[in-house]
Amino acid sequence: MTKSTAGDIQAVIMAGGEGSRLRPLTSNMPKPMLPVVDRPMMEHIIGLLRRHGFTDVVATVQFLASVIRNYFADGSDQGVSLSYTTEEEPLGTAGSVLQAREFLDGTFLVISGDALTDLDLTAAIEFHRTRDAVATLVLKRVPDPLEFGIVMMKEDGAIDRFLEKPTWGQVFSDTINTGIYVLEPDVLDLIPPDQPYDFSSELFPLMLDKGLPVFGYVTDAYWTDVGTTDAYLHAHRDVLSRAVDVDIPGFELRPNVWVGEDVDVHPTAHIEGPAYIGDNCRIGPGVVIGAHTSIGQNSILGAEAVVAQSVVMDGTHVGPFARMRGSILGRGASIEQGGSIEEGSVLGDEVVIGAGAIVKPRVKIYPAKTVEAGAIVTHSVVRDRRATRSLFGPRGVSGIVNVGITPTVAVRLGMAYGSMLRRGNTVVTGRDASRAARTIKRALIAGLNSTGVHCRDLELSPMPLTRFTVRGEQAAGGVSVRTSPKDSEIVEIRFFDGEGGDLPETEQRKLERLYFREDYRRAGPARIGEIEFPPRAVEQYAAGLIRSVDIDAIRRSAPKVVVDYGFGPASLIAPTVLGRLGCEVLAVNSFTDENRPVLVAADIQRLLGGLSEHVRNSGSDLGVLLEPGGEIAHLVDNRGRVVGHEQALLAFLRHETKLGVDQVALSLACSTECQRVVESGGGSVRWTPVTLPSLMSFAAESDVGFAGNAEGVLIFPSFMPAPDALMTFAKALELISVADRSLSAIVEDLPRTFIARRDVPTPWDLRGAVMRHVASVEVPGRLVLLDGVKVVEEQGWALVIPLPDEPACRVWAEGRNDDHAQELLTRYAALVEDVAARPQVTS
């Protein structure tokens, strides 16, 4: 054979492996593309080649070849020229390299794209040349050679024997073949074409039989075969510990802690090095990132989460109080609040672990599987996929921004909604002040327009304005995008029907079918919908609201009020209304703040404290805090005392029945005192399920004049069958003006109520059993099965209802006093706990 000495040495990267032992990580990704500290293994290999002067590289690809091609393209971003050969069928290690023959014109290096090493390639090539070898194998001594091919050599390094995957009885050496070779081009003549052929078991023994010079270069550099999930975790540990010399992206925030660009780490988070955090990650308050942890880019770690000795891939979400130790979380996967992933477990791409679920050690969960909240998983989940809950929840479609609800998802939702409507129909859109809501709303509009549906965009607007405009503009529907009042990381998309009410359940199911089937109408270029901006929407809303209250009584009274706009968009609308009502107004926080699109409980309490002080100091008749969402108002009386939601409900019930309202719709969880107040005023009560859509559905019926619950939802159907904080405020002005009494005096005349409430954790799979148990036990009262199970006793009642979007049951109880209410609550909560405490195991 002739030896080539001219020109730069080329490199062949073998990148066709499926990595079956690395599943589920390699179910959707070729093994060389698995990230090690946020970079594909093959990228680390290319970096090693480039450092040793290789610029001409060929990659042999087979499994999911397009993923590799799309990522590396021509290699220019990595500083090399990269070509590809594709195996249509697996051809073995030597057979795949043979396909690259047309690109090779001299001595070349063969290296695996799915190993991790900092081998001195220059030294290996020099060894090859000084030995005048036709093939040089890079070898390494390891303590456990059973998983590798053993090589035996003479004193001068010449190889005289190979043994593939030996038993311990056959282990005559601890020197193994790393799969890195320096070869002369004539070696390719020995490989039969178009059939599987292997270097170690076939080609190299053949070369020895022919007496060709085959040498072994023994290295003490780092090398590992990342062939199992345990080896994958160990590779990260070695990179972060600097046991192997590879580039770590980002910058070193402090010794052994690397972070990428635009990383937001809360001051109370604790990071123990060595650790890596990729670009655009958010690390919440109280988070603990333990040593030897790698967090992929665009990931979110919620408050008090703990992640240690683990690999978290790109675009994942680890919820508040979740735990990971010694485990792997695939791309786009999510662990919800309180979930726990124990050592050695591996979760594939887009796996969802429900709240409080536990994944026991060494469990593998394959891509796109869902583990229900509260479940305990003891065996791997491969084939069966748990049915996910419906797209719609009690507050529309919701999810974590850029995790569950992305612009891509929003476009698809817009296309699905638009496909339900006729081409040329109009949809009204609105949003809150947050950047996330603005982004998602724009994506929804793009989806709607693509189906030929026009959009009238209110831009920043309270939800009631969007609902009202849907009705006033005779639109086919509406969409409002809001930050969740429960969690500022979550965005909610509310879809409305042509009356401005929440989309009925039958229509929700239709939208879901279109979304999941991707069965969208696609309009031609000339039929794509347009975007309009209604110029008089606020004026029309204000006129409609004023027509729905006794404006003359309010003007005669000329009340002095303090309004806290809570940094919400009501500040853009309310002055138009209040000016026409003739009020003297002191405005507080009358500007929008994109960083405060919702108020949490602590914010509300703080603002109410300030509002109370303003009312007392100014001698005002009334104070109101309008929540940014536009649906809930908090009232403060003339003495600066906060009026509770239950008190406000009772006051409005008495007021509305005096005005002639006959039918009132009330949530099943309201006090029986509400019924007494209504009936004493000559009206009657229609009890409704506790959900807001149910209450709004009853409010839309023609004979219902008022609807509400004890959580601040007050609906005045004469204006709109949906809650509106500004309407509540106007009605409060009407209340004190018509009665010609102070709000404090009105509240003092109301009956007292004693209601207690508790949420009892309940696994999803046991909620039916819980309700059956509560309904079947012998109780001293009558059962009401309108929504959940309500037991009405002689001097009180209890209500048990499973929460629709949480693994819990909510228990209410009303008694004759606080102690009695607590006694009832404890008794019925115990009925839930009797069943909920049973362990649930998923195998």
Side-chain angles (χ1 to χ4, degrees):
M1 285 192 171
T2 61
K3 274 185 54 71
S4 170
T5 58
D8 293 336
I9 291 183
Q10 299 163 290
V12 178
I13 300 176
M14 294 185 294
E18 294 188 28
S20 58
R21 291 183 299 162
L22 278 162
R23 290 176 184 162
L25 301 178
T26 52
S27 296
N28 301 321
M29 183 187 297
K31 182 181 174 184
M33 293 302 295
L34 281 182
V36 172
V37 190
D38 217 21
R39 284 187 177 173
M41 286 190 283
M42 183 169 160
E43 187 169 350
H44 288 299
I45 293 297
I46 292 177
L48 176 67
L49 292 170
R50 186 182 62 248
R51 288 196 298 273
H52 285 275
F54 289 84
T55 57
D56 190 357
V57 181
V58 182
T60 66
V61 294
Q62 196 258 328
F63 177 66
L64 296 176
S66 61
V67 176
I68 296 175
R69 289 176 180 270
N70 291 340
Y71 184 88
F72 292 105
D74 63 1
S76 57
D77 288 346
Q78 284 72 40
V80 299
S81 173
L82 184 58
S83 304
Y84 300 91
T85 67
T86 303
E87 301 173 65
E88 299 302 329
E89 298 291 337
L91 294 174
T93 53
S96 67
V97 172
L98 178 63
Q99 288 203 312
R101 185 171 198 163
E102 63 179 293
F103 299 102
L104 304 173
D105 55 16
T107 304
F108 62 95
L109 177 88
V110 175
I111 189 167
S112 174
D114 51 26
L116 188 65
T117 183
D118 56 8
L119 171 68
D120 187 344
L121 299 177
T122 303
I125 293 166
E126 183 62 27
F127 176 91
H128 173 80
R129 286 174 166 164
T130 59
R131 296 302 191 277
D132 200 29
V134 295
T136 295
L137 286 63
V138 175
L139 311 176
K140 185 170 178 62
R141 294 186 172 94
V142 297
D144 182 3
L146 290 182
E147 291 298 315
F148 307 95
I150 287 177
V151 179
M152 299 188 69
M153 297 182 299
K154 299 175 183 178
E155 289 186 6
D156 64 353
I159 294 174
D160 63 1
R161 186 177 178 186
F162 292 95
L163 186 61
E164 279 292 296
K165 305 292 176 70
T167 66
W168 276 114
Q170 298 172 309
V171 173
F172 308 113
S173 169
D174 62 354
T175 307
I176 63 147
N177 176 10
T178 65
I180 303 172
Y181 314 124
V182 184
L183 303 174
E184 295 302 317
D186 292 345
V187 168
L188 299 174
D189 294 333
L190 301 175
I191 303 172
D194 303 323
Q195 69 180 62
Y197 204 72
D198 187 71
F199 278 120
S200 296
S201 63
E202 295 176 288
L203 179 61
F204 294 146
L206 174 65
M207 294 174 68
L208 291 182
D209 290 343
K210 290 180 175 291
L212 298 175
V214 180
F215 280 79
Y217 171 76
V218 180
T219 180
D220 58 2
Y222 180 95
W223 173 88
T224 186
D225 171 37
V226 188
T228 65
T229 54
D230 286 342
Y232 183 64
L233 279 170
H234 202 274
H236 280 83
R237 186 185 190 95
D238 289 343
V239 170
L240 293 171
S241 301
R242 309 308 287 154
V244 54
D245 182 16
V246 300
D247 290 336
I248 297 179
F251 66 95
E252 204 164 359
L253 180 67
R254 54 184 173 81
N256 295 323
V257 174
W258 293 267
V259 299
E261 296 181 358
D262 295 325
V263 174
D264 183 5
V265 180
H266 193 275
T268 61
H270 174 72
I271 305 171
E272 179 183 350
Y276 171 80
I277 303 172
D279 297 347
N280 306 311
C281 288
R282 297 207 305 275
I283 312 300
V287 167
V288 175
I289 297 177
H292 305 112
T293 295
S294 175
I295 309 294
Q297 55 190 288
N298 300 311
S299 295
I300 299 171
L301 273 62
E304 306 294 333
V306 176
V307 181
Q309 300 175 352
S310 297
V311 175
V312 175
M313 293 189 184
D314 296 352
T316 57
H317 173 246
V318 180
F321 304 99
R323 299 288 184 268
M324 284 185 68
R325 182 171 297 277
S327 50
I328 304 171
L329 190 62
R331 297 173 302 169
S334 177
I335 307 173
E336 296 181 4
Q337 180 169 333
S340 178
I341 313 301
E342 299 186 2
E343 196 157 354
S345 288
V346 183
L347 280 58
D349 297 347
E350 299 182 359
V351 165
V352 176
I353 304 298
I358 298 172
V359 179
K360 288 294 189 178
R362 310 207 67 79
V363 166
K364 293 184 178 181
I365 301 179
Y366 276 60
K369 304 297 184 290
T370 296
V371 173
E372 296 287 9
I376 300 174
V377 185
T378 60
H379 292 76
S380 294
V381 180
V382 180
R383 295 182 180 84
D384 295 333
R385 173 174 180 167
R386 281 292 186 93
T388 58
R389 296 185 295 280
S390 62
L391 197 63
F392 280 83
R395 297 183 64 86
V397 179
S398 63
I400 297 170
V401 177
N402 276 336
V403 178
I405 299 293
T406 65
T408 302
V409 169
V411 168
R412 291 175 57 199
L413 284 168
M415 293 177 73
Y417 187 34
S419 298
M420 292 171 52
L421 309 175
R422 293 185 176 183
R423 186 175 57 80
N425 278 167
T426 297
V427 169
V428 177
T429 59
R431 61 169 175 86
D432 69 16
S434 68
R435 294 183 185 180
R438 181 169 61 228
T439 299
I440 298 302
K441 186 210 67 177
R442 288 173 176 173
L444 280 159
I445 289 174
L448 286 161
N449 285 163
S450 73
T451 64
V453 170
H454 306 301
C455 292
R456 289 180 182 159
D457 187 18
L458 300 177
E459 302 181 280
L460 175 61
S461 63
M463 192 183 304
L465 175 59
T466 307
R467 293 185 188 274
F468 183 87
T469 306
V470 169
R471 305 180 82 201
E473 296 280 341
Q474 296 182 332
V479 182
S480 180
V481 185
R482 307 277 144 186
T483 304
S484 170
K486 294 183 178 180
D487 187 343
S488 61
E489 296 282 340
I490 292 175
V491 68
E492 299 176 345
I493 304 172
R494 303 282 288 273
F495 291 90
F496 307 141
D497 62 16
E499 294 298 316
D502 284 4
L503 203 64
E505 189 170 338
T506 54
E507 296 298 291
Q508 292 177 12
R509 300 290 87 79
K510 183 177 179 181
L511 192 154
E512 286 178 348
R513 286 194 300 271
L514 290 169
Y515 175 85
F516 287 119
R517 294 175 183 173
E518 299 188 13
D519 188 14
Y520 311 131
R521 180 178 64 236
R522 291 171 168 82
R527 295 186 174 185
I528 288 176
E530 297 181 351
I531 305 176
E532 303 169 356
F533 301 94
R536 300 185 61 230
V538 173
E539 294 177 28
Q540 292 168 348
Y541 168 85
L545 189 151
I546 288 169
R547 286 195 300 269
S548 303
V549 297
D550 189 340
I551 187 172
D552 294 332
I554 297 172
R555 284 175 172 171
R556 284 194 302 269
S557 176
K560 184 177 183 180
V561 297
V562 182
V563 183
D564 189 330
Y565 290 106
F567 315 103
S571 61
L572 307 175
I573 300 169
T576 303
V577 176
L578 296 176
R580 296 173 66 177
L581 291 176
C583 300
E584 182 182 347
V585 181
L586 170 63
V588 181
N589 299 319
S590 55
F591 59 93
T592 59
D593 185 347
E594 67 177 27
N595 296 313
R596 285 183 280 196
V598 294
L599 300 177
V600 299
D603 294 330
I604 291 172
Q605 292 306 312
R606 177 176 55 82
L607 293 179
L608 284 175
L611 179 61
S612 297
E613 188 174 345
H614 285 309
V615 170
R616 287 192 297 268
N617 292 342
S618 64
S620 294
D621 300 298
L622 176 68
V624 65
L625 168 62
L626 304 173
E627 290 196 17
E631 294 185 311
I632 305 296
H634 301 264
L635 301 178
V636 172
D637 70 16
N638 50 295
R639 295 183 182 179
R641 297 180 300 187
V642 176
V643 179
H645 289 320
E646 188 103 45
Q647 293 174 309
L649 175 62
L650 287 165
F652 281 115
L653 286 170
R654 182 170 287 173
H655 174 68
E656 292 297 310
T657 52
K658 283 183 178 179
L659 293 180
V661 167
D662 180 43
Q663 291 280 335
V664 169
L666 294 175
S667 163
L668 197 59
C670 290
S671 168
T672 52
E673 292 295 342
C674 294
Q675 184 174 9
R676 294 190 183 103
V677 167
V678 171
E679 291 175 348
S680 67
S684 61
V685 171
R686 298 178 62 179
W687 296 106
T688 79
V690 300
T691 62
L692 177 58
S694 296
L695 191 62
M696 290 171 55
S697 177
F698 275 78
E701 296 183 8
S702 58
D703 56 346
V704 173
F706 177 77
N709 65 23
E711 297 175 355
V713 172
L714 302 172
I715 300 175
F716 301 90
S718 61
F719 173 56
M720 183 169 57
D724 184 342
L726 197 53
M727 181 62 179
T728 297
F729 177 34
K731 274 290 187 175
L733 295 173
E734 179 188 86
L735 170 68
I736 60 175
S737 299
V738 170
D740 197 21
R741 299 177 68 197
S742 67
L743 184 56
S744 61
I746 292 172
V747 170
E748 285 172 357
D749 282 348
L750 298 172
R752 294 187 65 190
T753 60
F754 305 96
I755 294 181
R757 192 181 82 174
R758 184 192 306 172
D759 290 348
V760 181
T762 310
W764 294 102
D765 291 346
L766 286 179
R767 298 193 304 171
V770 164
M771 301 311 294
R772 184 172 63 252
H773 178 63
V774 174
S776 62
V777 296
E778 188 171 341
V779 292
R782 61 183 178 88
L783 293 182
V784 178
L785 302 178
L786 174 64
D787 189 11
V789 177
K790 185 172 186 178
V791 182
V792 182
E793 299 189 4
E794 185 175 349
Q795 292 186 305
W797 55 264
L799 173 64
V800 180
I801 298 179
L803 296 179
D805 54 354
E806 296 179 38
C809 286
R810 180 160 293 169
V811 184
W812 292 262
E814 181 178 25
R816 58 182 178 272
N817 53 43
D818 284 331
D819 289 341
H820 184 221
Q822 285 295 333
E823 185 272 323
L824 284 172
L825 180 69
T826 300
R827 180 166 19 119
Y828 283 91
L831 293 178
V832 177
E833 292 166 343
D834 287 345
V835 180
R838 300 172 187 168
Q840 290 295 288
V841 178
T842 299
S843 61

